[in-house]
Amino acid sequence: MSSKIRSKILKVIIKAPMRNEINNLYEFAEFKFDGNKQKLWKNNDLILLSPKATELLALLLEKKGEFVDKQEIFETVWKDTFVEDGVLTQNIYTLRKALGNDADGLPIIENKTRLGYRIAIPIFSDTVLLDAETARRGDAGKDDAETRRQGDTKNKNAELSDLNPTKIANKKIPASLRRRVSVSFLIAASIFIAIAAIGYRYFRPQIASYFRKPIESVKFTQLTNTSDLASATLSPDGNFLAYIRQNKVYLKDVASNKEIPLEIPNVPSFRSLEFSADGNFLYFCNNSAYFASSKILKVSRFGGDTELIVERNQGLFSLSPDNKFIAYYVGLPNEGSKLIVRNLETREERAVLQLEPLQSSVTNNSSLSWSPDGKRILSSTQSFITAASLLNIIDVETGMSEDVKIPRLRRFQEAHWLPDGENFIVSATENGRIYHLWKVYYPAGDIQPLTTGLSSFERPIISADGKKILAMQTTNNSNLFTATDANLNEQKQLTTGNTNKFGQTSLTWTNDQELLFSTQLENDKVENFWLIDSFGQGKRQITSEKDASPNTAISDGKSIFYSVIRQRFSNIEKVDVGGGNLSQVTNSNDGQRRSPQISPDRNWLYYIFRETKGSKIMRLNLLDQKEEIWLDDEKVQCGLFMEISPDGKYLACPNWRQRNSSDQDKHNSEIAIISTETKLVLQYIPIARISPNFRFSADSKAIEFIAAHESGTQIMRQAFNESEPKPVLQMPKERIFNFAWSKNGKQLAISHGQQLRDAVVLTDFY
């Protein structure tokens, strides 16, 4: 609002007689808020907010830039109502999403520890007051209108009296007319019933949407507060919580909040807990690797010796409602995976569904859920072809598979049926990178959000009565640091922020002074590449993808090569280190080209080539642009990541092949070391890693990888001529996501931060 208009309003206020009505108007940046009508506009567009988000915005605007602490917010917005802190966080997230950032790129709503929240930009407010005479006339006008309305009502009542049913009944109606009226009534009633039935069948989700509770009504109860859970599950009656932390299994009584650690001997690691239908037993996997196979074991909910249920399993599993069957996947991506259903009493099993090689990846993030009637299985996997998550409903008897299409959601993690057998809860992303819980109304595909905010809500588990949803509330944050090889513990921080996943997916050096890293801004759908120097200066964006996420980049100092999926196929593209001259290096639709690596002489670009028949290593001559198959060996089935040694003598990749169970119990991954001179596999190195990335050491004589360490993580080094790895860098209470050595081997770049994960229960979501 201009200063001239504001001065005129002030003059009106000064000259006006006594007032008795107030209408507060606020202006900030491009927004206008009407405090009386509780409406928010951006320019001329009305922005729809939930009632509680609107009340919260009104409170922040009323304070005009002053911080409002949480206590005052709860007492004002949620007066006489007990809610969790997560509800406030969700509404702040909603407002931040609606308001966006200021001219400097900072959130309009600022938060400071112990101070609270505030609007961080100038706020202008105008108070328009009505004088007493206008108010009196308004009341008089209301009285006159009421008098006229009452008069009209009397006249209408007089007219309606002639239509009194008693009077009508006393009049004689011809029989033929009565018959026609009866037939017409029956036809109309039949049509009405048919329309109602069709409407209920096809528009039931839309009708139900009008009666749903708002998201603010969902109640959150935190069940743990250690922030280091690996996974958790809820007993069918909702009374017990079982979870994994620091590689141990705990059982907690929800009512008393008492927990006990379970003694389960001879199990190296734990994953994927699930209660039996009666709540007396726990089923779990004994391997936490991303792609590795594992055993499924059974143990009493109080611990003790285990019983082997399944010898070899891939991904998650699910027990049937009657606890007579177990469903699980088996197989590696290059082999093709099978969905197996096993009878727990007779141990008989059958393959229900066969997945073609590379059609989908069955990882630890895959999920299975039996329908309450035991006739269908809801499955979540990820396609190697499109990198998109897939939801399928599989008929247990026939093996027929139906794709579930939910266009609004981008990536699916885990889904579970609700007791009605029609709808389900899924953890999925919408536009950004945060996983939230959604109720899916099947088969219409209508969805309802159950969570919002900056924390992810993952791995939902539903109680038998459907009134409780257990979820893992997760916050990932990482930043970039550098250290010299002389002292890796003395690190310099290059980036700041809590939500941008700096360097988690991709991290490499373009030269000895500049880092290339992946990051995803808060409102972006995908990650992009940025550059920053080793002093934390010169940060700039290199790629600007909107839908296709680039991954696994490498640089020769002049150009950046990376793989990206477009039109269902992954190819190699390149861009200058300045961000210009984007071009395609490969452009084929015969398979997936991933993880490019440049030879030290800059003549060759190596990359993994995957197709339905398996995996090969290809290379491209950067001088004449000729592509060739470099290695085609059925014993070498490279995964999604490859690394070339600094001296150019070796290539290394995770090898997807079946190994014996005793080796997998200790080492969840196998790295193949291949000579670039002879193309022979020199060594298979078994390692236990928690990240898909690994590196050659600076001297090219060892493989380095990220492994678990007490409550944190560590970088381990496995020399080619030694049997056991040795620690390079240990970071208790920190999660190392990625790392990379500079070209000269003198500096180490590290992406590390925290992965905070606790168990929460959602109620009152119906």
Side-chain angles (χ1 to χ4, degrees), residues 676-699:
T676 56
E677 297 177 354
T678 65
K679 303 183 183 180
L680 297 176
V681 178
L682 303 179
Q683 191 174 355
Y684 294 107
I685 301 179
I687 60 176
R689 60 187 178 130
I690 62 173
S691 168
N693 301 321
F694 60 87
R695 306 289 179 182
F696 276 98
S697 59
D699 60 7

Side-chain angles (χ1 to χ4, degrees), residues 518-530:
S518 60
T519 187
Q520 186 174 359
L521 301 182
E522 183 173 333
N523 295 318
D524 285 351
K525 293 182 180 179
V526 299
E527 294 183 341
N528 274 289
F529 289 131
W530 292 62

Side-chain angles (χ1 to χ4, degrees), residues 186-388:
L186 290 175
I187 294 174
S190 300
I191 294 173
F192 175 79
I193 293 172
I195 292 174
I198 294 172
Y200 179 78
R201 172 67 177 84
Y202 291 98
F203 299 101
R204 178 174 46 176
Q206 289 80 355
I207 296 171
S209 66
Y210 289 101
F211 301 96
R212 295 173 193 161
K213 289 185 178 181
I215 193 171
E216 291 86 354
S217 69
V218 180
K219 181 180 178 181
F220 294 79
T221 303
Q222 189 166 339
L223 299 185
T224 64
N225 58 6
T226 58
S227 300
D228 59 352
L229 269 61
S231 68
T233 190
L234 191 68
S235 62
D237 59 12
N239 294 330
F240 291 94
L241 172 73
Y243 56 89
I244 302 169
R245 59 181 296 257
Q246 298 183 18
N247 209 30
K248 286 185 67 70
V249 179
Y250 292 81
L251 181 71
K252 172 177 280 193
D253 185 303
V254 174
S256 66
N257 207 34
K258 293 182 179 179
E259 67 175 16
I260 59 170
L262 304 186
E263 293 297 330
I264 306 177
N266 304 317
V267 180
S269 62
F270 301 89
R271 174 173 57 85
S272 308
L273 294 172
E274 184 173 342
F275 275 98
S276 59
D278 58 11
N280 292 327
F281 295 93
L282 282 168
Y283 292 73
F284 62 90
C285 295
N286 71 330
N287 197 322
S288 58
Y290 195 69
F291 280 108
S293 296
S294 63
K295 298 174 182 176
I296 301 177
L297 304 172
K298 173 186 175 183
V299 69
S300 165
R301 75 177 187 187
F302 300 110
D305 293 332
T306 60
E307 176 187 348
L308 178 63
I309 302 300
V310 174
E311 177 68 32
R312 179 169 165 244
N313 160 70
Q314 190 79 23
L316 304 185
F317 61 89
S318 178
L319 296 166
S320 63
D322 58 10
N323 222 98
K324 293 182 179 180
F325 298 92
I326 187 171
Y328 59 94
Y329 279 108
V330 64
L332 293 172
N334 55 285
E335 302 174 339
S337 299
K338 295 178 182 179
L339 175 60
I340 304 294
V341 170
R342 168 174 286 199
N343 188 310
L344 291 173
E345 295 177 357
T346 66
R347 299 300 174 108
E348 295 179 354
E349 63 181 35
R350 64 185 180 92
V352 175
L353 180 69
Q354 172 74 54
L355 300 178
E356 295 299 323
L358 305 183
Q359 179 183 3
S360 64
S361 61
V362 181
T363 70
N364 287 357
N365 286 333
S366 305
S367 73
L368 295 169
S369 174
W370 287 78
S371 61
D373 61 8
K375 296 181 179 180
R376 296 169 296 167
I377 293 176
L378 180 62
S379 171
S380 168
T381 56
Q382 179 175 318
S383 170
F384 264 109
I385 301 298
T386 63

Side-chain angles (χ1 to χ4, degrees), residues 703-758:
I703 287 290
E704 296 179 350
F705 56 94
I706 302 169
H709 170 65
E710 295 179 0
S711 61
T713 51
Q714 60 186 340
I715 298 176
M716 301 292 290
R717 178 178 295 162
Q718 176 66 65
F720 297 162
N721 58 354
E722 296 179 1
S723 59
E724 296 294 331
K726 296 179 180 179
V728 175
L729 173 65
Q730 294 181 343
M731 301 197 71
K733 300 181 180 180
E734 283 280 319
R735 172 70 183 266
I736 301 175
F737 294 96
N738 209 340
F739 68 99
W741 288 99
S742 60
K743 303 288 186 181
N744 60 13
K746 298 297 183 182
Q747 293 188 85
L748 180 66
I750 317 166
S751 168
H752 68 76
Q754 291 183 316
Q755 186 178 63
L756 308 177
R757 180 176 288 169
D758 274 303

Side-chain angles (χ1 to χ4, degrees), residues 46 95 114 116 146 166-167 210 263 309 348 372 392 425 444 468 491 494-495 542 552 566 580 650 652 686 726 750 753:
L46 178 64
L95 290 180
R114 292 187 296 275
E146 180 64 20
T166 303
K167 294 182 178 180
Y210 289 101
E263 293 297 330
I309 302 300
E348 295 179 354
N392 302 90
I425 304 296
K468 296 179 180 179
Q491 300 174 9
L494 305 185
T495 62
I542 300 301
T552 320
R566 301 189 194 279
Y650 311 106
K726 296 179 180 179
I750 317 166

Side-chain angles (χ1 to χ4, degrees), residues 438-511:
W438 304 79
K439 184 177 179 180
V440 180
Y441 293 84
Y442 175 79
D446 185 40
I447 59 176
Q448 175 191 6
L450 299 182
T451 63
T452 60
L454 297 179
S455 294
S456 284
F457 290 86
E458 305 170 356
R459 304 203 176 284
I461 301 293
I462 304 170
S463 61
D465 60 9
K467 295 181 179 180
K468 296 179 180 179
I469 301 176
L470 175 76
M472 302 295 293
Q473 185 175 9
T474 305
T475 301
N476 270 331
N477 64 76
S478 63
N479 278 289
L480 296 180
F481 301 79
T482 57
T484 64
D485 60 340
N487 188 354
L488 295 180
N489 290 309
E490 187 175 330
Q491 300 174 9
K492 176 180 178 59
Q493 185 168 345
L494 305 185
T495 62
T496 58
N498 294 325
T499 61
N500 291 333
K501 298 170 58 177
F502 292 111
Q504 288 189 19
T505 303
S506 188
L507 182 63
T508 190
W509 294 79
T510 61
N511 52 50

